Amino acid sequence: MTYDATGRLLLTPVDREGPERASRLRDLGLGPTADPVFDLFADRLAELTCAPFAMVNFIDENRQFFAGLHTPDGRHRGGALGALAARSADGAADRYMARDHGYCPHVIARRKALVLEDVCDYPRFAGNPVVDEIGIRSYLGAPLLDDLTGLALGTVCVVDIAPRPWGRAGLATIKAAAAELMEVVRGRGSLWP
């Protein structure tokens, strides 16, 4: 575990690949722009899992960007994520979240799926700001792994405001979704062989 100078447990893992990932995302033309294809993908993922929120999330050195977003109101706007979504100058909700909020940075660091049926069962995850500020209680996410570079570019994930028994079926669904989305990304990548 990593601790800061005051001895507090750091909840977000250190990301040594952030600059390389950000460069690869630029090469592929991914983030920081909302994409209707990714929004539709998030909609379908939410429907498959019966989750109120679903995201296609790309992470650079400093923040997370929801290139695809499904929200309960169906507007694809980050404002539904509450106080954690950044606001643009005109007041419209952006799709950014700080890197230390949420669980996707953990998926990036682990390079494998993360299933949290009730985040409050895990001290490391229960203290995350999304628990108190948004009310997130359950998370299911898988990394988007770039075959060419080996980098985890981002995640696909679903969250709920109530504990959820995702089980093996949920794990299989989120892993399959990540693999399917990477096929879409491969089709876009000008640098992909």
Side-chain angles (χ1 to χ4, degrees), residues 4-149:
D4 70 8
T6 64
R8 291 184 16 214
L9 176 66
L10 295 177
L11 300 176
T12 304
V14 174
D15 182 13
R16 289 175 175 69
E17 295 177 343
E20 187 179 358
R21 180 181 319 103
S23 176
R24 181 65 174 147
L25 289 169
R26 281 190 299 276
D27 289 346
L28 292 169
L30 298 172
T33 304
D35 188 315
V37 170
F38 294 149
D39 280 340
L40 289 172
F41 190 90
D43 287 342
R44 200 175 101 238
L45 187 56
E47 185 179 327
L48 280 170
T49 60
C50 299
F53 295 95
M55 292 145 240
V56 174
N57 187 12
F58 297 113
I59 301 175
D60 67 17
E61 304 100 312
N62 304 309
R63 59 188 178 175
Q64 304 176 63
F65 177 73
F66 305 122
L69 178 63
H70 172 88
T71 59
D73 67 7
R75 292 190 199 167
H76 303 290
R77 298 198 46 191
L81 296 175
L84 300 181
R87 297 266 170 204
S88 60
D90 64 3
D94 287 334
R95 294 179 181 219
Y96 290 101
M97 188 183 303
R99 205 181 152 279
D100 64 345
H101 288 64
Y103 307 106
C104 291
H106 295 274
V107 173
I108 292 289
R110 294 163 41 103
R111 295 179 182 276
K112 60 183 181 178
L114 178 62
V115 179
L116 299 171
E117 294 183 344
D118 185 344
V119 299
C120 294
D121 288 344
Y122 304 90
R124 178 179 183 97
F125 299 119
N128 195 286
V130 297
V131 175
D132 291 333
E133 295 180 34
I134 301 176
I136 300 302
R137 287 293 301 276
S138 188
Y139 174 90
L140 177 65
L144 297 169
L145 299 173
D146 181 352
D147 292 342
L148 184 62
T149 64

Side-chain angles (χ1 to χ4, degrees), residues 146-168:
D146 181 352
D147 292 342
L148 184 62
T149 64
L151 293 169
L153 300 176
T155 65
V156 292
C157 68
V158 293
V159 296
D160 203 334
I161 57 172
R164 291 279 301 270
W166 302 110
R168 290 180 193 251

